[in-house]
């Protein structure tokens, strides 16, 4: 009888706490969204599954010594996984559209306003005692507005490891929701005539320029903002491997097998942060809300900046490409293209929008560097 | 950390951060522009025929006395046409 009782006490059913049950359901919901609705499946499948694993009562997969905890401490706590992902993203990025029209970098800069506005929002909320965020927490939450998963995870692991689960889930879900969140804001801020603006065909960019650009960027980072060097350094390294065309084997590995391998472990490790005691409170709700605001402000400020540039510049600039300044590559550029086609079926903005899109990636990495510099040094 | 200093810290970080992002990317815009200009100047000669003329291919014996003259004579054209049509005929006969 005692043995049976012992066995019963070891079952999941006996040990299950309501929080864990809810978190398993949330994990399943993420899996459903990924599999059935095709929302960022590459990330939400590992994250969702990791979330379910982490909440199995009594198994302790996410506790000290558990396998998910090991993934977490090896890859995320050390900052390695987001950096390896950034290297892969670098190897997949084509700087051609950006080099053809370097001024689109300003759009990438403007869209980072979402990050800082949200940081301010989080600080104001905790000043009024609604939430209790420190400056580091607020910075990590703001970076969601960059709509750049690896950067968010990197910053969160440095500044606010406790909030990592919520921040990662928020930033990846908003990346998936780009096609839903952005268009209404873009339509609101532009007129029909502005959306019809056609842009000049881009010039040809030579191979030499493409090889030198990552080195130039690296030097600038080295001189001006060493705190962004881990992120942008890996990014430039990946890009140089692609463009120099003498290490195709390395570049292929980085773009494919390596980034895929790391994505699996990154997803599981992020999932391990979805444990009930950390995730199920009002703070998470606040983070999701603030992240959404960050993202919307980023989109809006990108569009407004593009409108200003269109007024000043001699060459026409369609304001729709401004929204691509939030980094979510390449979804944001596709959204710009789609809205351009809606206004005029012959208006192809995709390549023009890739410029600000890549600029946004650089911009949010720079913003991340500044936040880390200010918070840890100041 | 008391609340008012948190607020002012946040505000400083916002101003400082946003202006730094802009400064950094502005510098990058100019650096990129300069780089592109330098490279396109360097590459301007690529694909342009040098002034002293292109050396004639060794397999074809030039029919005229001044192989380096830039103006093409009718005889020159005739050679080119005959060479090209021979090549085309050979290509067609092989790929039928």
């Amino acid at each position: 009888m005692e043995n049976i009782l012992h066995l019963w006490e070891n079952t999941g059913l006996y040990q299950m706490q309501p929080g864990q049950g809810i978190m398993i359901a949330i994990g399943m919901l993420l899996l459903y969204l990924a599999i059935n609705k095709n929302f960022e499946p590459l990330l939400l499948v590992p994250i969702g599954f990791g979330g379910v694993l982490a909440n199995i009562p009594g198994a302790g997969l996410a506790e000290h010594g558990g396998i998910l905890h090991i993934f977490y401490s090896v890859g995320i706590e050390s900052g390695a996984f987001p950096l390896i992902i950034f290297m892969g993203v670098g190897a997949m990025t084509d700087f051609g559209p950006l080099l053809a029209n370097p001024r689109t970098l300003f759009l990438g800069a403007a869209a980072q306003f979402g990050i800082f506005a949200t940081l301010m929002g989080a600080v104001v909320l905790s000043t009024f005692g609604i939430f209790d965020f420190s400056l580091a927490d607020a910075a990590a939450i703001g970076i969601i507005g960059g709509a750049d998963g690896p950067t968010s995870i990197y910053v969160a692991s440095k500044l606010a490891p406790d909030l990592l689960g919520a921040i990662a889930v928020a930033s990846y879900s908003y990346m998936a929701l780009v096609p839903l969140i952005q268009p209404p804001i873009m339509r609101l801020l532009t007129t029909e005539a502005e959306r019809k603006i056609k842009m000049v065909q881009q010039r040809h960019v030579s191979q030499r320029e493409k090889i030198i650009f990552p080195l130039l960027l690296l030097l600038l980072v080295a001189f001006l903002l060493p705190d962004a060097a881990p992120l942008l350094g890996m990014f430039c390294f990946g890009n140089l491997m692609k463009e120099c065309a003498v290490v195709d084997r390395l570049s292929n590995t980085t773009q494919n097998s390596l980034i895929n391998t790391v994505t699996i472990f990154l997803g599981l490790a992020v999932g391990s942060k979805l444990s009930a005691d950390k995730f199920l409170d009002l703070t998470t709700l606040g983070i999701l809300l603030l992240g959404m605001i960050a993202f919307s402000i980023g989109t809006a400020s990108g569009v407004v900046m593009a409108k200003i540039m269109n007024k000043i510049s001699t060459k026409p600039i369609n304001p729709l490409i401004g929204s691509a300044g939030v980094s979510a590559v390449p979804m944001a550029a596709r959204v710009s293209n789609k809205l351009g086609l809606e206004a005029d079926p012959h208006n192809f903005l995709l390549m023009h929008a890739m410029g600000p899109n890549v600029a946004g990636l650089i911009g949010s990495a720079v913003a991340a560097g500044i936040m880390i510099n200010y918070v840890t040094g100041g | 950390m008391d609340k008012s200093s948190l607020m002012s810290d946040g505000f400083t970080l916002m101003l400082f951060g946003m202006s730094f992002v802009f400064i950094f990317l502005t510098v990058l815009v100019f650096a990129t522009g300069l780089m592109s200009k330098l490279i396109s100047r360097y590459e301007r000669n690529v694909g342009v025929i040098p002034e002293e003329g292109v050396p004639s291919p060794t397999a074809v014996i030039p029919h005229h006395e001044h192989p380096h003259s830039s103006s093409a004579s009718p005889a020159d054209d005739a050679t080119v046409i005959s060479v090209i049509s021979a090549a085309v005929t050979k290509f067609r006969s092989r790929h039928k």
Side-chain angles (χ1 to χ4, degrees):
Chain A
M1 188 59 205
E2 204 166 290
N3 283 344
I4 296 175
L5 205 66
H6 183 71
L7 193 67
W8 164 238
E9 280 172 2
N10 272 321
T11 58
L13 278 175
Y14 178 81
Q15 296 185 43
M16 175 85 72
Q17 290 150 1
Q20 289 171 324
I22 296 174
M23 286 315 294
I24 289 180
I26 290 180
M28 296 288 184
L29 175 75
L30 291 179
L31 287 174
Y32 169 80
L33 287 176
I35 296 167
N36 237 7
K37 301 275 176 194
N38 226 7
F39 276 2
E40 292 278 312
L42 288 176
L43 278 149
L44 286 188
V45 169
I47 291 180
F49 205 87
V52 174
L53 286 179
N55 287 288
I56 295 176
L61 282 163
E63 284 155 30
H64 198 78
I67 186 72
L68 292 182
H69 186 267
I70 294 174
F71 290 159
Y72 177 79
S73 51
V74 166
I76 293 187
E77 213 167 47
S78 65
F81 285 170
L83 294 179
I84 298 173
I85 300 259
F86 233 63
M87 179 168 77
V89 173
M92 290 193 262
T93 300
D94 179 13
F95 278 121
L98 179 69
L99 287 167
N101 195 359
R103 284 173 311 159
T104 51
L105 276 165
F106 289 122
L107 300 175
Q112 307 315 317
F113 183 64
I115 292 181
F116 293 104
T118 307
L119 168 111
M120 203 58 218
V123 165
V124 169
L125 282 182
S126 39
T127 306
F128 287 117
I130 301 172
F131 290 109
D132 186 25
F133 295 128
S134 66
L135 188 66
D137 295 345
I141 294 167
I143 208 83
I144 299 172
D148 188 353
T151 310
S152 313
I153 292 178
Y154 183 75
V155 173
S157 72
K158 291 266 178 260
L159 299 182
D162 287 344
L163 304 178
L164 194 124
I167 289 175
V169 168
S171 101
Y172 280 112
S173 35
Y174 293 140
M175 276 171 83
L177 290 176
V178 164
L180 294 180
I181 300 176
Q182 284 197 323
I185 302 171
M186 291 157 77
R187 286 203 191 94
L188 190 73
L189 289 172
T190 52
T191 62
E192 180 78 23
E194 280 172 329
R195 269 175 266 153
K196 281 189 174 151
I197 294 177
K198 282 204 175 126
M199 295 185 62
V200 188
Q201 177 76 34
Q202 286 175 347
R203 73 173 173 89
H204 172 74
V205 175
S206 75
Q207 191 68 20
R208 262 198 201 87
E209 285 173 77
K210 287 186 180 175
I211 293 176
I212 292 178
F213 183 77
L215 297 171
L216 183 81
L217 178 60
L218 183 65
L219 283 181
L220 269 184
V221 171
F223 289 144
L224 294 178
L225 187 67
D227 281 286
L231 281 170
L232 283 174
M234 294 308 270
F235 186 70
C236 292
F237 176 54
N239 190 253
L240 183 68
M241 284 199 286
K242 169 181 175 252
E243 297 296 355
C244 72
V246 288
V247 285
D248 279 345
R249 296 199 321 197
L250 303 188
S251 149
N252 282 340
T253 307
T254 318
Q255 302 181 24
N256 300 300
S257 11
L258 184 62
I259 201 171
N260 291 343
T261 313
V262 173
T263 303
I264 294 173
F265 293 113
L266 179 84
L268 286 175
V270 168
S272 80
K273 284 278 137 178
L274 299 182
S275 55
D277 50 333
K278 298 239 174 66
F279 196 82
L280 280 184
D281 57 19
L282 271 180
T283 316
T284 304
L285 207 66
I287 291 172
L288 286 172
L289 203 73
L290 283 167
M292 173 79 117
I293 295 170
F295 193 68
S296 312
I297 295 179
T299 305
S301 50
V303 173
V304 170
M305 183 72 182
K307 284 177 78 138
I308 296 172
M309 282 174 69
N310 185 37
K311 290 259 156 54
I312 298 171
S313 137
T314 45
K315 281 186 203 161
I317 290 173
N318 191 315
L320 289 178
I321 69 167
S323 66
V326 300
S327 34
V329 179
M331 273 87 71
R334 284 200 199 123
V335 170
S336 300
N337 188 48
K338 198 178 135 227
L339 263 78
L341 287 176
E342 242 172 52
D344 175 354
H346 300 291
N347 201 1
F348 295 97
L349 294 172
L350 187 64
M351 285 324 276
H352 297 286
M354 280 314 282
N357 216 181
V358 177
L361 213 70
I362 299 175
S364 46
V366 171
I370 296 167
M371 299 238 197
I372 293 172
N373 178 328
Y374 189 92
V375 174
T376 56
Chain B
M1 193 191 286
D2 69 285
K3 297 291 178 191
S4 64
S5 93
L6 177 68
M7 188 87 171
S8 69
D9 255 1
F11 194 69
T12 322
L13 177 53
M14 181 169 87
L15 280 186
F16 174 71
M18 206 54 216
S19 37
F20 193 90
V21 168
F22 260 99
I23 292 169
F24 185 89
L25 291 181
T26 311
V27 173
L28 190 59
V29 169
F30 285 112
T32 312
L34 192 70
M35 189 256 308
S36 294
K37 208 171 264 174
L38 281 177
I39 287 180
S40 58
R41 179 170 302 169
Y42 177 67
E43 285 188 340
R44 196 187 292 162
N45 297 333
V46 176
V48 176
I49 299 166
E51 276 179 29
E52 62 269 23
V54 187
S56 26
T58 44
V60 182
I61 300 155
H63 286 266
H64 48 83
E65 308 228 344
H66 305 290
H68 296 316
S69 68
S70 55
S71 63
S73 61
D76 218 351
D77 278 351
T79 322
V80 172
I81 289 168
S82 64
V83 168
I84 291 177
S85 48
V88 168
T89 325
K90 192 165 184 189
F91 178 82
R92 284 199 181 142
S93 67
R94 219 186 274 166
H95 288 266
K96 269 244 158 111

